[in-house]
Amino acid sequence: IGEVLRLEPGHAGARVEKANVLYLADRLLEARDEAARLLADTSLAPTPLLLNLLGNAEYGLGNWQTSADAYLRAVAMQPEAAPFLRNAGRALESGGRGAEALELYLRAARAFFREEAYGELSLVLPRLLALDPSNAEARGLEAKMLYHEGRTDEALERLTALAAEGSGDSAVHYLLGLALAER
């Protein structure tokens, strides 16, 4: 990267990659500064990935609000990008803004579920349920994830509870019926 930048200092791809490598090397101050320089450069269009990188560096430095701002700008550019939603939620939660984080975590969970990214979903759900243990949508997503992962007994327990509470989610009732039929 250094050689490319020596030969062509304005090479946008190499500049972005330099910021990324600095972040991966845990050189957070340098990564943050490089990402900020790139975002300030009017010859380059800001990208959600670069904003996410800036957010990651700021988060690593403990700058919750600044990281949330960067992540939220990335979300504004790609509203359905689950990783950006999750990261923004995490930064807001760390900064003591749990109610705002909850909504972003919910959006991220929905997107991870749609993408069948159950590993990622399993990391978001505990944060959601920590902020709002009674959240029926989060509990429903958890039950659906468990069912799709083949963890039928765990799913059945949660689906039964949701149905007993009068869940309006038809998928909860459908999966409950499937799980009971499998038994």
Side-chain angles (χ1 to χ4, degrees):
I1 294 170
E3 185 63 18
V4 169
L5 290 173
R6 188 183 67 72
L7 295 171
E8 191 180 335
H11 191 286
R15 291 175 64 200
V16 171
E17 193 55 32
K18 177 182 176 184
N20 192 44
V21 167
L22 290 168
Y23 173 74
L24 292 173
D26 209 23
R27 293 167 58 183
L28 300 178
L29 288 170
E30 294 169 271
R32 177 199 61 192
D33 294 346
E34 190 62 31
R37 271 193 291 280
L38 287 164
L39 289 165
D41 185 340
T42 57
S43 69
L44 301 172
T47 66
L49 289 174
L50 187 55
L51 289 162
N52 189 63
L53 175 62
L54 176 62
N56 288 344
E58 292 286 10
Y59 187 89
L61 294 167
N63 300 327
W64 316 130
Q65 184 56 54
T66 311
S67 65
D69 292 343
Y71 293 136
L72 290 170
R73 286 179 60 199
V75 166
M77 295 174 87
Q78 286 189 329
E80 297 303 314
F84 303 154
L85 290 162
R86 177 205 51 224
N87 290 348
R90 182 185 61 174
L92 289 169
E93 181 185 9
S94 295
R97 296 166 58 189
E100 294 169 80
L102 180 67
E103 180 54 37
L104 289 164
Y105 281 145
L106 270 170
R107 289 174 56 195
R110 289 179 199 125
F112 283 134
F113 183 79
R114 275 192 311 273
E115 297 165 7
E116 297 181 10
Y118 301 130
E120 293 291 334
L121 180 58
S122 70
L123 299 174
V124 172
L125 286 172
R127 299 307 328 132
L128 261 169
L129 294 170
L131 290 169
D132 183 4
S134 65
N135 188 290
E137 183 178 3
R139 292 171 46 235
L141 285 168
E142 179 183 41
K144 293 174 202 176
M145 176 190 71
L146 292 168
Y147 184 85
H148 286 285
E149 289 180 332
R151 296 164 58 185
T152 312
D153 289 338
E154 293 171 81
L156 182 57
E157 178 184 317
R158 287 165 177 80
L159 292 166
T160 301
L162 287 162
E165 294 167 13
S167 173
D169 184 347
S170 63
V172 165
H173 299 281
Y174 178 74
L175 292 176
L176 176 59
L178 289 177
L180 290 171
E182 288 173 14
R183 280 200 159 179

